[in-house]
Amino acid sequence: MSPLNTSLLITAIVMGTAVASFPSKDKSKKNETPSFLQSDTINYDETTQTVTALGHVQIAQNNQLLYADEVSYNQLSDEVTAIGHVWLRDKEGNFLFTPKVTLKNKMADGFIDQIKVLMADDSRLAGNKGKRYNARKTILWQGVYSPCTVCKAKPEQFPTWQLKSDKVIHDQDKEVVEYHHAWLEMWGWPVFYMPYFSHPDPAVKRKSGFLMPIYSHSRDLGMSITTPYYWASGKNHDFTFYPTFTSNQGVIPAAEHRYRFRDGDYTMHGSYAHNTSRASAPNSNPNNYGRATRHRWHYFLSSRYEATPDVLLTFNVQRASDLTYLKRFPVLPRHSTDPFAASTALTSMAAAERFRPDSYGTIKSYVFQAERQKTVPVILPMIQYSYESLPGHYGETFLGDFNFLHLFRDRAITGQVAEKMVRSSVGIGGQIPYISPWGDMWTLRGYIRGDIYHTSGYQPTSTARPKDRYESRYFPQASLTWRYPFLNAMRSMHWILEPASMITTSSIGGNAIEIPNEDTPLVTIDTTNLFMPNRMYGIDRIDSGHRYVYGLNSRQLFSCARRFNLFFGQSIRLDRKQVLPVNSGEDTRASNFVTGLQVVPFSWLDLRSRTLHDRKNFSIEIAESSATINAPWATGTLSHVLYDKKFTINNKRVSQLAWNVSSGKYQGFSVAYGEMRNMVHRGTINVLNQTISVRHENECLKTSLSFIRTGFRDRDLRPDKRVVLQLDFKNLGTFYPININSIGGQRQAPVPDTASTRN
């Protein structure tokens, strides 16, 4: 037969194969796809109507590709038999390997011996024999599944984990892999039997089902296990149920719901616990919710909606039966609020915000849950608008502010806050910069503000009678700032030395006792506010009078991102008035010395500190220091906070050290250690929190074992020890508890800078 005739015959046979596999001609036109056959040689038996292709055979049809050493196709039975180094790639990119396979229905159905499947994510399935249905379902008998990589040097070595089952069903329509009578093996050892088990198809990102449980033990809860269940209720919303079963405190159900729509989203979660308090807990607590013995719960909601490109609506709810509940029980998801921050106060808020290039406006309302609930305010509403123009021809800018506040509470505090207060405030100002021919920089600022107050139930002093009153004031302020940066560019470094000074003047007084102080209870002099004309971060107190500020900022920049920054400054009172609170670091004559330091000796180490020194003996009264490590062999942070007793509310010295360090990975292993320690030893708890974690991670399994020790005492909270075990099996699902390594939080001192000079 000539080559031309052979080619025509092959084309006719292949096209006949594609058409013969459809029941009717009309129905097949939409789904019919071109077929392709390639091989070294082809034989055709007219008697049996069988085409046999030999040598590097490739057949493509319906986005599927079949490769084998030998392929025969019987037109009478519509049966394809492939022998020798057979592999089949389906539409999803899964590969099927076998020494022999018999396929029908356009290679969609068939029987397979010694089947092996390589899935799209490199997971592997294998079985003694298998059956394929409509190219969408594969059944394996005596099957094994594992996403772990096989060691090429030791292929006989067992993987980290695998599932062995009498029957494995991979249903691509249901997007699930099912196992009947399965064993979970770890390094070849059977550790857990399951009569039935299923997990999502590895190609699926979201699928309903149980997630991996979390095991823990503590003296308070006893043995506990959290068994989360994930429900993909829709394409844009889902639920996660994560009840915790404890041997000492019963069952603590909890759930989370997430919903995302075109212009916004919301997340809500809650939990409930019954009869969980210790018998030794006090009969009452400062939250005024009574003794927490029954019906303990929490409910959080976080939502946002982008009404327009520049208008954002938010609504957040944080409520709990009592504040120690969130600290004691693991009921908050990992991405939620730090439980130790939530144990101080819970904030519910509704807001509408508008963002523009030159302005910002907002309307907000707040409801707080905190200690001494009767004195906590309800803010309804707070309206704020700020405008700042773009720089003009000379660099000048103009600004305007408006603020309205209405709040009320059950009980006032004498000399501090009122039962009800309404406040309106309007301010306008501007600034103009100037750079002289010598290179020094000047900035002139001016600002004037007027405030009106109406208060009810407020006692300025203990002898005064509560009554309704109106108060008003105006606050003009002007300042002139000078800076002169000197640059010395050397081969080894660039050195920028910048002396700076500022003089500010305003009206005397204005902080009358008849005006409540809602938003500025504490002010402390530091590197961030020393060069601010108005160091009060709120409105109720003003930074009046006359003062002079000087400072020196030195920045030395070396190669490889190394640097050495040093700042030193002080504020001098020109009017001999006590404007800031007594415990602010400034008296009627001058402030204490303010210093800031940043040292980066290596690219992986960042040391920072800011301190407040007594101006008479230079002793340290406030110090906030931190060290950050970011190296291949270790990452971590260390922070220390020191406050002299005259700067604290309870007149007690505070010295706390907090640090978290994680080692780099070595053969998949890493170790993490975190601690918060009270450095004041006189009758106080030494270790507040301590966490040690050992982790191992490879391509298919993440293991975490954590030991947690707490030393807090607060109502029904007692010092406790806890062990948490978490296993994250690839493709079987996982669930992360609260981030136990960052309990308590840390604060990093900012880089000293004199350029922060906004009103």
Side-chain angles (χ1 to χ4, degrees):
M1 184 179 295
S2 66
L4 176 61
N5 292 336
T6 301
S7 177
L8 292 174
L9 176 61
I10 294 172
T11 303
I13 293 173
V14 173
M15 294 305 298
T17 302
V19 175
S21 58
F22 292 98
S24 67
K25 184 176 180 180
D26 294 335
K27 294 181 180 179
S28 65
K29 284 184 178 180
K30 289 184 179 181
N31 298 324
E32 186 173 331
T33 57
S35 299
F36 170 80
L37 184 149
Q38 176 180 299
S39 66
D40 294 342
T41 61
I42 295 180
N43 299 318
Y44 178 64
D45 189 335
E46 295 183 357
T47 304
T48 59
Q49 297 188 28
T50 301
V51 179
T52 303
L54 301 173
H56 305 94
V57 184
Q58 295 185 44
I59 299 178
Q61 192 173 44
N62 268 14
N63 295 322
Q64 298 183 101
L65 179 62
L66 174 66
Y67 177 90
D69 293 339
E70 177 183 339
V71 175
S72 63
Y73 171 66
N74 189 296
Q75 290 180 290
L76 297 178
S77 61
D78 185 26
E79 187 174 276
V80 177
T81 302
I83 303 173
H85 302 95
V86 181
W87 57 262
L88 173 66
R89 189 196 67 196
D90 63 15
K91 300 176 183 179
E92 279 73 25
N94 301 314
F95 283 84
L96 183 151
F97 301 90
T98 180
K100 180 180 179 180
V101 61
T102 302
L103 302 172
K104 292 184 177 182
N105 188 19
K106 297 191 307 179
M107 301 190 299
D109 302 334
F111 292 91
I112 310 168
D113 291 328
Q114 301 299 319
I115 182 174
K116 298 179 181 179
V117 180
L118 178 63
M119 297 184 175
D121 70 332
D122 291 335
S123 300
R124 292 166 174 81
L125 265 173
N128 290 337
K129 60 180 180 178
K131 190 172 183 180
R132 180 176 167 87
Y133 294 92
N134 198 28
R136 303 298 298 169
K137 179 186 288 188
T138 303
I139 301 178
L140 287 76
W141 285 271
Q142 303 302 316
V144 179
Y145 168 80
S146 178
C148 304
T149 302
V150 178
C151 181
K152 295 182 180 180
K154 299 179 180 179
E156 73 282 355
Q157 190 176 31
F158 288 104
T160 303
W161 68 269
Q162 63 183 5
L163 286 170
K164 279 189 175 181
S165 177
D166 291 348
K167 183 179 180 181
V168 182
I169 303 174
H170 180 203
D171 194 325
Q172 291 173 268
D173 288 330
K174 294 182 179 179
E175 300 177 332
V176 68
V177 181
E178 299 175 306
Y179 303 85
H180 295 267
H181 299 290
W183 277 94
L184 172 64
E185 292 188 354
M186 304 283 292
W187 296 282
W189 294 89
V191 295
F192 194 72
Y193 169 76
M194 296 164 286
Y196 174 82
F197 179 74
S198 67
H199 64 80
D201 188 308
V204 177
K205 294 183 179 180
R206 300 169 65 247
K207 186 70 176 177
S208 300
F210 283 98
L211 306 179
M212 294 306 299
I214 303 167
Y215 306 93
S216 66
H217 177 270
S218 67
R219 290 186 296 185
D220 182 16
L221 303 182
M223 294 294 299
S224 65
I225 177 173
T226 302
T227 55
Y229 180 85
Y230 176 77
W231 176 28
S233 53
K235 293 183 178 180
N236 61 331
H237 50 88
D238 56 33
F239 290 84
T240 303
F241 304 94
Y242 49 101
T244 299
F245 301 87
T246 69
S247 59
N248 293 349
Q249 305 294 347
V251 182
I252 307 173
E256 180 185 40
H257 173 49
R258 301 183 301 176
Y259 195 102
R260 176 172 294 177
F261 39 96
R262 188 183 66 178
D263 298 318
D265 60 79
Y266 71 80
T267 300
M268 64 174 69
H269 52 86
S271 65
Y272 172 79
H274 179 71
N275 246 356
T276 57
S277 286
R278 292 182 171 91
S280 59
N283 293 327
S284 61
N285 61 53
N287 298 320
N288 295 308
Y289 292 104
R291 185 178 180 182
T293 56
R294 301 177 57 188
H295 307 302
R296 305 183 74 179
W297 52 269
H298 94 276
Y299 174 76
F300 280 22
L301 168 67
S302 176
S303 61
R304 58 189 301 274
Y305 174 70
E306 297 180 6
T308 66
D310 56 0
V311 175
L312 175 65
L313 306 178
T314 57
F315 181 67
N316 300 329
V317 177
Q318 294 183 350
R319 302 297 291 178
S321 58
D322 56 273
L323 296 181
T324 61
Y325 171 66
L326 299 175
K327 190 188 296 186
R328 182 180 173 190
F329 298 100
V331 294
L332 291 179
R334 185 184 182 129
H335 59 267
S336 184
T337 307
D338 183 348
F340 280 73
S343 66
T344 303
L346 297 177
T347 303
S348 301
M349 182 264 293
E353 299 173 277
R354 184 181 183 183
F355 302 86
R356 301 295 296 271
D358 57 358
S359 63
Y360 169 76
T362 181
I363 302 175
K364 295 183 179 180
S365 294
Y366 292 92
V367 176
F368 303 98
Q369 179 180 345
E371 309 287 0
R372 301 174 179 87
Q373 186 68 25
K374 290 186 178 297
T375 61
V376 174
V378 174
I379 299 176
L380 185 69
M382 182 187 72
I383 304 174
Q384 183 176 348
Y385 177 79
S386 300
Y387 168 82
E388 184 171 359
S389 67
L390 298 177
H393 179 72
Y394 298 101
E396 74 279 4
T397 59
F398 300 94
L399 60 90
D401 295 308
F402 170 76
N403 182 278
F404 174 83
L405 175 67
H406 171 255
L407 61 84
F408 57 90
R409 55 170 56 84
D410 292 336
R411 183 185 303 165
I413 301 178
T414 302
Q416 298 183 32
V417 296
E419 289 184 4
K420 181 179 180 181
M421 186 182 80
V422 178
R423 181 189 68 199
S424 295
S425 177
V426 178
I428 57 173
Q431 67 177 18
I432 181 169
Y434 172 72
I435 301 178
S436 74
W438 296 278
D440 54 334
M441 295 176 287
W442 300 77
T443 303
L444 178 64
R445 295 179 178 83
Y447 184 75
I448 184 171
R449 194 183 80 205
D451 306 325
I452 300 176
Y453 288 82
H454 175 254
T455 59
S456 300
Y458 177 55
Q459 285 183 278
T461 63
S462 58
T463 58
R465 296 182 60 184
K467 65 178 182 178
D468 294 357
R469 67 178 69 230
Y470 287 91
E471 297 290 339
S472 63
R473 69 183 174 196
Y474 71 95
F475 173 52
Q477 187 179 56
S479 66
L480 180 64
T481 304
W482 171 83
R483 295 187 294 131
Y484 202 161
F486 296 92
L487 173 62
N488 187 4
M490 296 174 279
R491 294 187 59 184
S492 59
M493 72 168 181
H494 286 185
W495 186 8
I496 303 174
L497 187 64
E498 183 185 67
S501 64
M502 181 185 72
I503 186 169
T504 178
T505 180
S506 69
S507 57
I508 301 294
N511 292 323
I513 191 64
E514 288 77 17
I515 297 178
N517 185 6
E518 293 281 353
D519 57 9
T520 318
L522 297 174
V523 177
T524 303
I525 300 296
D526 58 30
T527 58
T528 63
N529 61 16
L530 182 64
F531 272 81
M532 287 184 177
N534 184 8
R535 296 165 295 180
M536 304 293 187
Y537 52 84
I539 295 177
D540 293 335
R541 291 296 177 262
I542 58 177
D543 197 355
S544 61
H546 319 301
R547 60 189 172 94
Y548 169 75
V549 182
Y550 68 91
L552 181 66
N553 201 3
S554 173
R555 296 190 291 271
Q556 294 174 296
L557 308 177
F558 303 88
S559 59
C560 301
R562 295 175 298 151
R563 64 177 65 91
F564 180 86
N565 296 344
L566 178 64
F567 173 79
F568 177 86
Q570 186 187 26
S571 174
I572 306 295
R573 298 299 313 183
L574 302 178
D575 53 12
R576 296 297 190 265
K577 301 290 185 181
Q578 182 68 51
V579 177
L580 299 185
V582 177
N583 57 355
S584 63
E586 180 181 283
D587 57 21
T588 60
R589 300 182 61 86
S591 72
N592 290 336
F593 296 117
V594 176
T595 63
L597 177 67
Q598 181 187 22
V599 181
V600 183
F602 310 101
S603 59
W604 48 267
L605 179 61
D606 189 345
L607 306 174
R608 304 189 186 197
S609 176
R610 63 180 184 184
T611 55
L612 187 67
H613 298 264
D614 187 279
R615 73 171 188 269
K616 297 179 181 179
N617 55 22
F618 211 71
S619 61
I620 297 178
E621 296 188 327
I622 297 178
E624 297 177 352
S625 306
S626 67
T628 303
I629 301 174
N630 189 8
W633 44 270
T635 59
T637 58
L638 183 147
S639 65
H640 177 259
V641 177
L642 170 67
Y643 281 85
D644 191 73
K645 63 180 181 179
K646 63 183 178 182
F647 292 92
T648 61
I649 298 177
N650 56 6
N651 200 32
K652 292 183 179 180
R653 186 170 180 264
V654 173
S655 178
Q656 286 187 358
L657 178 69
W659 55 297
N660 289 296
V661 178
S662 299
S663 68
K665 294 181 182 178
Y666 177 73
Q667 295 185 352
F669 285 94
S670 64
V671 180
Y673 181 82
E675 181 179 281
M676 180 184 293
R677 180 178 291 271
N678 194 339
M679 307 302 291
V680 181
H681 302 289
R682 282 176 279 180
T684 59
I685 300 172
N686 193 13
V687 177
L688 304 178
N689 185 76
Q690 192 176 48
T691 302
I692 304 174
S693 298
V694 180
R695 306 184 183 111
H696 180 267
E697 179 179 351
N698 59 20
E699 76 284 353
C700 62
L701 177 64
K702 296 179 183 179
T703 306
S704 175
L705 180 63
S706 301
F707 302 88
I708 307 166
R709 175 190 173 193
T710 60
F712 295 96
R713 288 183 179 271
D714 183 10
R715 282 153 282 181
D716 62 332
L717 288 177
R718 298 291 184 273
D720 197 8
K721 295 180 180 179
R722 186 180 179 196
V723 181
V724 179
L725 173 64
Q726 181 173 328
L727 302 176
D728 181 0
F729 293 88
K730 181 180 178 181
N731 297 335
L732 301 189
T734 186
F735 179 79
Y736 293 97
I738 191 163
N739 189 353
I740 56 178
N741 291 327
S742 14
I743 288 179
Q746 295 191 13
R747 185 178 181 183
Q748 187 181 60
V751 179
D753 189 4
T754 60
S756 180
T757 53
R758 286 181 56 86
N759 277 316

